[in-house]
Amino acid sequence: MPSVPGGTPAQPPAALRLLRSSGQAWRWGDGSPPARATSRVGEGGRSGTRQAPVSVPTPRRRPRAALHPGAWWLWSLGLGTAATRTTNPLLLALLIATSAYVVAARRPDTPTARSYTAFVKLALAVILIRLVFATALGSPVPGTHVIASLPEVPLPDRAQGIRLGGKVTAEGLLFAFYDGLHLATLLICVGAANALANPARLLKSLPGALYEMGVAVVVALTFAPNLILDVQRLRAARRLRGRPDKGVRGLLQVALPVLEGALERSVALAAAMDARGYGRTADVPAPVRRTTTALTLGGLLGVCAGTYGLLTAEGGAYGLPVLLLGLAAALAGLRLGGRRSLRTRYRPDRWNVRAWLVTGSGVAVAALFVLASVHGPEALNPGVIPLVAPTLPLWPAAAVLLGLLPAFAAPDPKDPS
């Protein structure tokens, strides 16, 4: 029994005295408490036994791993690739509905997840602007169904091919609507990726060769909301003091404190990052550095040349091989460039089976649309002359439904288990 200074033995804890009175032996530190403890004191002073409650720790469940952000981007790029292969409004509307359903089902509760609405509004603005341009500047598609005749402004001879005003035909407006919906679908697909993938986690998953760029972008994304909050706070403070917060004078008096606070935060962050070892690189031999530079630059040039070959009719033979070689060289260069980064990742995102399913669904939609554009381009790109309603091709529509797989395969961010 331990003793206190002065020689008096220390009394054992109340729980240990209770265990001794009940006849159960338990030594402190043996790792496991008894399953049940009893007391010899009954009600009204009579002897008896009574169970003492013992709390049992509840096992804590591990939270479900979030989906890798790169899988969401590959899925959305697959839908965007499919959108580039068609101008059929029914297929484009089906692609938009697919992305909207997946976003509604798997969108996390974060500030960046609310960007999908902004992209939808931007897409609607694109369609409206395209229709306005077709009405005011004319359309390259001739039409016979005249909707309205606007006053036409005469232009000089050097402005041939451009007109202001004139006849507005139904064929021209329908062609402009198809074209605007085509671009709007691409914007909505990109908005779906922004809403589903956390940009900070995505930049954390970048290879080591892009480490410095990733840190800079993460810092910028972190400081941007703080600047907005500073502006709102300063404008509210000026209004409470009866001072103007609008106009040039109000803008200058609000901007200077905001810039001062941003500079102070930047200096403090730079000092903290330097103390934690950010920016330090490993010693890489000179041949490895030169090989990395050659592979990265050559790979990027190969990607540009291959993409140009795929977009032109003359380069269809060499476009795909050059693109694949360029991608392989660029990836090898990034792999070698990662050797100079001395860093570890805290809780890195794992590329699991769910990520493969999400990525595979987007790739499957893109591949099936590419095949459909080769074997049946008429159904994917309906004409406007003569003026007929577009039809929904069966197989491309079924391919779009594969894009709904992430709504069921991806983990629900609102479910903690």
Side-chain angles (χ1 to χ4, degrees), residues 125-402:
V126 166
I127 296 175
L128 181 61
I129 292 173
R130 185 66 180 87
L131 291 175
V132 170
F133 277 19
T135 303
L137 303 178
S139 175
V141 177
T144 57
H145 298 77
V146 179
I147 298 177
S149 295
L150 301 178
E152 187 171 356
V153 178
L155 298 176
D157 296 337
R158 60 176 176 272
Q160 291 182 356
I162 303 175
R163 69 176 178 86
L164 294 176
K167 296 181 179 180
V168 180
T169 61
E171 290 85 354
L173 287 180
L174 189 60
F175 177 80
F177 175 74
Y178 287 176
D179 196 17
L181 185 61
H182 182 82
L183 180 57
T185 306
L186 294 176
L187 290 174
I188 290 176
C189 291
V190 174
N194 278 276
L196 294 169
N198 191 336
R201 288 176 49 222
L202 178 63
L203 292 171
K204 188 179 69 172
S205 303
L206 288 176
L210 304 177
Y211 163 66
E212 289 85 0
M213 184 188 72
V215 171
V217 175
V218 168
V219 171
L221 291 175
T222 305
F223 272 42
N226 292 331
L227 292 178
I228 298 175
L229 292 177
D230 286 347
V231 171
Q232 295 176 352
R233 177 175 55 82
L234 290 172
R235 292 186 61 183
R238 291 184 62 83
R239 285 194 298 268
L240 290 175
R241 293 182 176 92
R243 298 176 183 176
D245 61 330
K246 298 180 181 179
V248 179
R249 181 181 177 184
L251 178 62
L252 292 177
Q253 294 183 354
V254 168
L256 290 178
V258 169
L259 293 177
E260 181 182 359
L263 182 60
E264 291 178 354
R265 283 196 300 267
S266 300
V267 173
L269 179 62
M273 293 175 66
D274 183 67
R276 289 167 174 81
Y278 280 88
R280 293 183 174 89
T281 58
D283 293 331
V284 180
V288 176
R289 290 200 303 268
R290 288 192 290 266
T291 304
T292 301
T293 304
L295 286 174
T296 305
L297 293 179
L300 294 178
L301 291 176
V303 169
C304 294
T307 305
Y308 177 78
L310 291 177
L311 295 177
T312 58
E314 295 80 5
Y318 69 86
L320 185 59
V322 173
L323 177 62
L324 294 178
L325 289 176
L327 285 174
L331 291 176
L334 292 176
R335 183 72 175 179
L336 287 177
R339 295 184 177 182
R340 59 187 296 268
S341 176
L342 297 173
R343 69 185 183 114
T344 58
R345 294 176 181 174
Y346 178 67
R347 293 182 180 177
D349 293 311
R350 303 295 182 183
W351 195 276
N352 51 16
V353 178
R354 296 175 183 270
W356 282 113
L357 290 175
V358 172
T359 304
S361 65
V363 172
V365 173
L368 291 175
F369 263 75
V370 171
L371 291 176
S373 64
V374 173
H375 296 287
E378 297 82 7
L380 296 183
N381 300 287
V384 295
I385 300 175
L387 194 62
V388 294
T391 59
L392 181 64
L394 180 60
W395 291 110
V400 175
L401 297 180
L402 293 176

